[in-house]
Amino acid sequence: MPLRAALSAQEAAVIIRQALEQAGLQGPFHCQPIADGGDGTCALLAESLGLEPHFLMVPDAYGRSVRGVYYLERSAQRAFIDLAAASGLGARGKDRLAPFQASTVGTGLLIADAVAGGCREIVLGLGGTASIDGGMGILQGLGFTYLNRAGRELHAFHPARFQELAFIQRPIGLPALRFTLLADVRHRLFGEEGGIRVFGPQKGLATTDFEHAERGLAAWLELAYAKGKRTFVDQAGYGAAGGVAAGLAAFFSIDLRAGADFFFQQVQLADLIRQSHCVLTGEGHYDTQSAFGKGPHALLCLAEKVNPDAKRILISSGTLGRKAPADRFIALPPLQQQGEMAKKEAAENLFRACYQAFHGA
């Protein structure tokens, strides 16, 4: 139930259950918060799967110290990490965003710590990143060194790192890591509909800087793929998270997955749906992008596939939810408040809409 603009998936699931119970519906109910590769996906997966958290102080996207976290699945030598945990936008105001300075190096240090503990696969949730560094910072956290033409090392937060980069030094003994990358968008990296132009403004990128950012990333990827002895081909999904997948693919084996599909498989959601009479999900605002990788739409499609007899219900604000693959649409009013007041308003709106829709049903 991603209504995360104001409520977490867990909070929304609890509210819906309470509304259904008070409306007089008889269970049993099964609450499964879902995610689709966006901010918090791996944390939610870890909670659902009972994974072990590991904490480490690392630099955030702008170099400030932050407590990062990854989740360990020891039996599979696998770690789950949200890119946004260390390298996200956080609470930084829009007027203070600096996409050319922001780096994913903190996430790289989390990965390095997991690798030192024996992990050989990294599941990385790509949502919510503050940077457009093409994975340059992650690789730096894993031991790669970048030099300018004078042989001087470029630090992770150098605002002109793309323009000054001349040489890449690969670390000795680089582990044979596999990356499973979870995305909720399918944009390529470059072009009018590419991730730089579509998502760059969310990270503070001005429209007048689009071409500058594209030239910088193209130069970085040209050097990286030459060093990795691979050929770069822009692909669907590379536009997520400022091109992280594109940079990692220069040196590692990557599996770029639709985050919702991966999440559903891990929590065995199809089995739960087969046992259900009704599947109810929600999104803060169902829009034209919802059908392209967002969790609620993917869940409704999964339900239609594995249990066509189950009733499918979508809760959302706006009117486009009426076009979703659902049997019923429950409309939420738009939020009028901000901050903590918006959270309270969202909770009240969600409870009221669910209660009124099912009371006496």
Side-chain angles (χ1 to χ4, degrees):
M1 166 62 71
L3 293 161
R4 60 186 174 89
L7 299 171
S8 70
Q10 299 93 321
E11 290 169 334
V14 169
I15 291 168
I16 291 172
R17 180 171 189 156
Q18 291 172 343
L20 297 181
E21 290 173 341
Q22 292 189 35
L25 270 66
Q26 300 298 313
F29 303 104
H30 184 91
C31 292
Q32 175 59 64
I34 64 170
D36 50 26
D39 187 354
T41 292
C42 287
L44 193 55
L45 259 178
E47 181 178 320
S48 297
L49 301 176
L51 303 183
E52 175 187 351
H54 285 255
F55 299 97
L56 183 71
M57 297 304 295
V58 295
D60 74 359
Y62 300 100
R64 301 165 301 188
S65 185
V66 67
R67 188 171 81 151
V69 60
Y70 62 89
Y71 304 92
L72 191 60
E73 186 180 11
R74 291 187 183 276
S75 61
Q77 294 183 305
R78 182 162 68 163
F80 292 73
I81 305 174
D82 281 311
L83 192 58
S87 309
L89 290 164
R92 198 172 176 104
K94 285 188 176 182
D95 59 333
R96 299 178 61 220
L97 297 177
F100 292 115
Q101 175 189 346
S103 171
T104 55
V105 66
T107 298
L109 293 171
L110 288 175
I111 295 170
D113 195 68
V115 170
C119 288
R120 290 299 174 261
E121 179 184 358
I122 303 296
V123 179
L124 191 61
L126 297 184
T129 179
S131 75
I132 49 169
D133 75 351
M136 190 176 185
I138 289 179
L139 293 169
Q140 199 161 11
L142 289 172
F144 283 77
T145 302
Y146 307 123
L147 306 175
N148 64 16
R149 292 194 178 279
R152 296 195 179 112
E153 184 174 351
L154 300 174
H155 68 75
F157 305 98
H158 194 307
R161 59 200 166 207
F162 289 145
Q163 290 70 38
E164 295 194 17
L165 176 64
F167 306 103
I168 301 172
Q169 291 183 342
R170 182 172 178 158
I172 298 173
L174 188 67
L177 272 179
R178 302 186 311 277
F179 283 90
T180 300
L181 305 174
L182 309 182
D184 62 352
V185 298
R186 299 294 294 160
H187 296 71
R188 297 178 186 273
L189 183 56
F190 296 105
E192 290 297 325
E193 299 299 322
I196 295 172
R197 294 172 183 255
V198 173
F199 306 116
Q202 299 173 6
K203 310 173 197 301
L205 186 67
T207 56
T208 52
D209 284 332
F210 284 169
E211 292 186 5
H212 177 64
E214 287 186 333
R215 284 196 302 270
L217 272 169
W220 149 244
L221 292 173
E222 182 179 0
L223 281 175
Y225 277 76
K227 188 69 175 181
K229 295 181 172 58
R230 302 184 182 188
T231 302
F232 173 72
V233 178
D234 200 0
Q235 298 182 29
Y238 275 11
V244 161
L248 292 178
F251 300 101
F252 296 103
S253 171
I254 71 164
D255 182 12
L256 189 56
R257 301 281 300 275
D261 292 345
F262 182 86
F263 190 101
F264 297 165
Q265 291 168 7
Q266 294 299 304
V267 301
Q268 300 179 337
L269 198 56
D271 292 340
L272 292 173
I273 293 173
R274 291 188 184 97
Q275 303 167 28
S276 302
H277 297 293
C278 176
V279 175
L280 189 155
T281 188
E283 185 169 6
H285 187 77
Y286 191 95
D287 57 25
T288 56
Q289 293 297 312
S290 297
F292 299 96
K294 302 303 181 182
H297 182 92
L299 176 57
L300 293 170
C301 291
L302 178 64
E304 186 176 28
K305 177 181 178 181
V306 304
N307 187 357
D309 294 329
K311 189 170 186 177
R312 303 182 305 281
I313 302 174
L314 172 68
I315 308 170
S316 177
S317 64
T319 60
L320 289 180
R322 301 184 190 281
K323 298 182 179 180
D327 300 304
R328 184 179 181 186
F329 173 63
I330 300 173
L332 291 171
L335 294 178
Q336 304 299 321
Q337 305 293 330
Q338 296 184 358
E340 284 302 311
M341 291 302 295
K343 188 180 184 75
K344 182 175 183 292
E345 182 188 9
E348 292 172 349
N349 288 348
L350 181 58
F351 182 90
R352 186 183 306 111
C354 290
Y355 179 84
Q356 292 176 348
F358 292 101
H359 182 60

